Amino acid sequence: EVQLVESGGGLVQPGGSLKLSCAASGFTFSSYEMNWVRQAPGKGLEWVSCISTGGDTVYYADSVKGRFTISRDNAQNSLGLQMNSLKDEDTAIYYCARGSAWSAWGQGALVTVSS
Amino acid sequence: QTVVTQEPSLTVSPGGTVTLTCASSTGAVTSDYYPNWFQQKPGQAPRTLIYSTDNKHSWTPARFSGSLLGGKAALTLSGVQPEDEAEYYCLLYYGGARVFGGGTKLTVL
């Protein structure tokens, strides 16, 4: 069974850092590009970042560029999102999603940025 | 700043047909934008219905179809069921970047 499980969410102060992880199982992780998508409370979906199969190509939304870093460890079947200089507006549920066909989603991890 | 625009809300009767659209501020949407469509119900993660314009996943009900219509991406629901009441989002590709539309709240009434 294909599974994506996010972890690492929590409460952090503005200006702080947090790293999210997405553990993949049930498929050949290294064969899929991966995405992070977030959803602020009561708002719509916002694409955050994506990474190629080998990790050599990454893209970011303008709203997070320079503050967030996407990474992957194909040996550990894991996707990461390092979030620095966090702002109130980064408060959201963060989802990882598989591939260009968006064929699997995790259940999300809640990140709350608040003093 | 690229903007992807969807109808904020639509209402359809059970058994009816409805078309949701997805427009780009950059001009006509083509297959090069790889339109995707997602369904989200309250408290749940999104579920992908359509990818790359008109491709369905194994779990996508046959009543959902994707297309290009009048310079926009479109999602058509034929024979709407009560369980189709949800928020629907489109996603377009702009080279490496992806942009979601603001979502359409579909009410089945």
Side-chain angles (χ1 to χ4, degrees):
Chain A
E1 179 195 3
V2 172
Q3 272 203 312
L4 296 171
V5 179
E6 300 91 341
S7 61
L11 174 64
V12 61
Q13 292 189 334
S17 297
L18 206 60
K19 182 168 184 180
L20 299 181
S21 296
C22 170
S25 60
F27 65 99
T28 304
F29 179 71
S30 59
S31 296
Y32 291 85
E33 72 173 36
M34 295 295 294
N35 294 275
W36 285 103
V37 172
R38 69 183 180 182
Q39 187 168 36
K43 302 296 185 183
L45 301 175
E46 180 186 14
W47 173 77
V48 172
S49 182
C50 67
I51 187 167
S52 61
T53 54
D56 52 325
T57 302
V58 298
Y59 296 101
Y60 299 96
D62 287 345
S63 57
V64 307
K65 203 173 292 183
R67 300 188 299 123
F68 288 13
T69 302
I70 191 172
S71 63
R72 67 188 299 158
D73 183 339
N74 287 340
Q76 298 293 320
N77 295 331
S78 178
L79 176 72
L81 187 68
Q82 177 67 45
M83 304 184 292
N84 298 331
S85 304
L86 282 161
K87 306 175 182 179
D88 291 350
E89 52 264 39
D90 295 318
T91 294
I93 297 173
Y94 286 74
Y95 298 99
C96 58
R98 181 182 82 164
S100 55
W102 299 78
S103 47
W105 289 72
Q107 282 306 300
L110 177 62
V111 172
T112 303
V113 184
S114 174
S115 53
Chain B
Q1 173 104 6
T2 302
V3 178
V4 177
T5 301
Q6 301 180 242
E7 298 86 359
S9 63
L10 291 170
T11 300
V12 60
S13 300
T17 297
V18 64
T19 297
L20 290 64
T21 67
C22 177
S24 172
S25 62
T26 61
V29 175
T30 68
S31 58
D32 292 339
Y33 287 78
Y34 303 99
N36 290 260
W37 290 93
F38 308 89
Q39 178 192 65
Q40 188 179 35
K41 296 182 178 180
Q44 296 183 16
R47 179 174 78 141
T48 307
L49 296 172
I50 301 289
Y51 63 98
S52 294
T53 307
D54 56 3
N55 293 280
K56 299 182 185 183
H57 285 292
S58 58
W59 55 81
T60 305
R63 61 184 179 274
F64 290 86
S65 62
S67 65
L68 296 174
L69 201 62
K72 300 179 183 180
L75 176 70
T76 300
L77 289 70
S78 304
V80 171
Q81 301 296 306
E83 60 265 29
D84 297 334
E85 183 162 294
E87 193 84 24
Y88 291 83
Y89 296 93
C90 67
L91 174 80
L92 300 180
Y93 281 52
Y94 295 86
R98 289 87 161 123
V99 180
F100 279 97
T104 295
K105 168 115 179 86
L106 183 67
T107 300
V108 181
L109 204 57

